[in-house]
Amino acid sequence: MDTFNDLPKLSLVTALYKSDRYLPGYFRHLYPFVNKLRSLGVDVEVVFVPQKPSDLEKKYLEQASANTWCRIYEGDTPSLYMAWNIGTLMAKGDVVGFWNADDWRYIKGTLEALSLFKQGAELVYSPFRIRRYMNFFGQDILVFIKEINKQVPEFNNQTYPTFLYQMHCGPFFMFDKKLYAKVGPFDEQFKIVGDFDWCIRAAAIKAKLVRGRGLLGSFRVDGRGVSSGGRLKHMAENNIVYIRHKQTCPKWSNTENFMKLYDPGKIFFQGQGYEVDSEGLFKKHLPMDKELISHKL
């Protein structure tokens, strides 16, 4: 059997909030995934950041806590990108990725990504699948699966401008923790597009973004995710990102009131707004220090 114990240590961060319906499927995929990587010699941990956890979430976390690869940091403020920042700062791995409770990750694509980091990549993004579900009489029915592959461009001098206004990195991108220190935190004022903004900032500093070949994961669409059910808010947040990064802002009507809730000139982290520079980038170099976390964990 091939072993991969020379690959970078991987930290997968899972933020949990009102995730009860997805927990059985999530853990059904998580345990074999982690156990397989560990059997291959990959050093992997899962960092859970539950926010106001339900009784069922507490039950599953208590079971997971029996494993040495499990670490839990409970937050009291429901915020996806705050949870991502906490998880990233607390991660012990060299490489960080996110695993949402309604998604799946794949072994082969993960091994490829870690190999690319070993070769010097700072951010790896790859093709993925979309699973679309419809609800019929209370039952979620899988209606189609679509592979997003040819639509994922290489990052190079020709495509670089498009990475400054399109989310090419997809939902399963992974990054070197040292890159997080340079790019800065995920902007906690966003509810939906914090990953989009962060990936633009990574591309803008011309980090080494590398496209993988294998599928990294499967993304679930069922109308319940953070980007669902709030089309105007999603558009408004996109507009804030475009304004921040000096891109042409689409003229979507009825988004003005939502846009007033955001400040494109600041990145919010730990309850404080930090001014961005003229290119919309985080001005500071972020120390990789858990003392930055001021929340009660």
Side-chain angles (χ1 to χ4, degrees), residues 167-184:
M167 182 49 173
H168 289 316
C169 293
F172 298 103
F173 68 94
M174 301 157 66
F175 54 88
D176 188 306
K177 196 169 177 182
K178 293 177 182 176
L179 178 63
Y180 178 84
K182 292 188 286 187
V183 174

Side-chain angles (χ1 to χ4, degrees), residues 34-50:
V34 172
N35 290 334
K36 179 63 174 178
L37 285 182
R38 287 167 59 85
S39 74
L40 293 172
V42 177
D43 193 353
V44 56
E45 67 171 3
V46 182
V47 181
F48 292 98
V49 189

Side-chain angles (χ1 to χ4, degrees), residues 133-292:
Y133 290 81
M134 299 292 289
N135 188 274
F136 293 99
F137 303 103
Q139 297 293 320
D140 287 339
I141 307 298
L142 180 64
V143 292
F144 73 78
I145 300 175
K146 180 179 181 180
E147 188 168 300
I148 307 299
N149 192 334
K150 294 181 180 179
Q151 305 94 318
V152 182
E154 300 279 356
F155 181 72
N156 53 41
N157 290 335
Q158 287 70 43
T159 63
Y160 165 74
T162 70
F163 279 77
L164 302 182
Y165 65 88
Q166 293 182 17
M167 182 49 173
H168 289 316
C169 293
F172 298 103
F173 68 94
M174 301 157 66
F175 54 88
D176 188 306
K177 196 169 177 182
K178 293 177 182 176
L179 178 63
Y180 178 84
K182 292 188 286 187
V183 174
F186 293 90
D187 189 342
E188 295 171 3
Q189 68 180 313
F190 290 126
K191 304 296 187 293
I192 302 170
V193 305
D195 52 348
F196 176 34
D197 170 70
W198 195 90
C199 287
I200 288 178
R201 286 152 52 199
I205 64 172
K206 298 206 172 170
K208 190 171 182 181
L209 277 61
V210 180
R211 182 195 190 279
R213 298 298 170 207
L215 296 168
L216 257 183
S218 178
F219 179 75
R220 179 182 178 121
V221 178
D222 62 8
R224 300 186 186 92
V226 295
S227 60
S228 305
R231 186 167 177 265
L232 288 180
K233 182 179 288 187
H234 196 167
M235 290 177 177
E237 290 198 4
N238 277 337
N239 280 345
I240 296 299
V241 172
Y242 296 140
I243 292 169
R244 170 176 292 169
H245 298 289
K246 308 296 192 297
Q247 299 295 332
T248 301
C249 182
K251 302 299 182 183
W252 286 313
S253 61
N254 302 319
T255 60
E256 292 83 0
N257 287 336
F258 284 109
M259 289 174 65
K260 293 176 183 177
L261 302 174
Y262 304 91
D263 186 346
K266 292 182 180 179
I267 290 172
F268 284 80
F269 171 65
Q270 298 286 296
Q272 182 176 344
Y274 295 87
E275 291 188 358
V276 299
D277 66 15
S278 60
E279 302 300 319
L281 305 179
F282 193 63
K283 289 183 178 181
K284 298 176 60 178
H285 185 283
L286 193 66
M288 291 291 93
D289 188 341
K290 65 182 180 181
E291 296 301 323
L292 284 168

Side-chain angles (χ1 to χ4, degrees), residues 6-147:
D6 60 341
L7 294 179
K9 179 173 181 175
L10 172 62
S11 294
L12 291 170
V13 176
T14 293
L16 293 176
Y17 180 62
K18 295 184 177 181
S19 61
D20 286 14
R21 70 181 301 114
Y22 302 116
L23 292 179
Y26 168 80
F27 281 99
R28 190 167 59 245
H29 286 88
L30 178 72
Y31 285 125
F33 178 92
V34 172
N35 290 334
K36 179 63 174 178
L37 285 182
R38 287 167 59 85
S39 74
L40 293 172
V42 177
D43 193 353
V44 56
E45 67 171 3
V46 182
V47 181
F48 292 98
V49 189
Q51 303 142 91
K52 294 186 176 181
S54 67
D55 290 341
L56 187 61
E57 287 170 332
K58 289 178 181 178
K59 176 183 175 181
Y60 273 96
L61 289 173
E62 183 178 1
Q63 294 171 349
S65 67
N67 298 280
T68 58
W69 47 259
C70 172
R71 296 167 62 216
I72 302 170
Y73 298 94
E74 184 174 332
D76 57 6
T77 304
S79 166
L80 175 62
Y81 298 113
M82 181 184 294
W84 280 18
N85 284 327
I86 291 172
T88 302
L89 286 166
M90 301 306 292
K92 294 181 178 179
D94 308 295
V95 171
V96 178
F98 303 105
W99 188 332
N100 296 327
D102 52 347
D103 297 334
W104 305 341
R105 278 188 171 268
Y106 299 144
I107 294 283
K108 187 174 180 180
T110 300
L111 291 172
E112 179 199 20
L114 291 174
S115 296
L116 292 172
F117 282 110
K118 182 183 174 183
Q119 297 167 33
E122 293 183 291
L123 184 154
V124 174
Y125 62 101
S126 301
F128 59 96
R129 290 193 179 107
I130 293 176
R131 293 171 292 122
R132 174 68 182 178
Y133 290 81
M134 299 292 289
N135 188 274
F136 293 99
F137 303 103
Q139 297 293 320
D140 287 339
I141 307 298
L142 180 64
V143 292
F144 73 78
I145 300 175
K146 180 179 181 180
E147 188 168 300

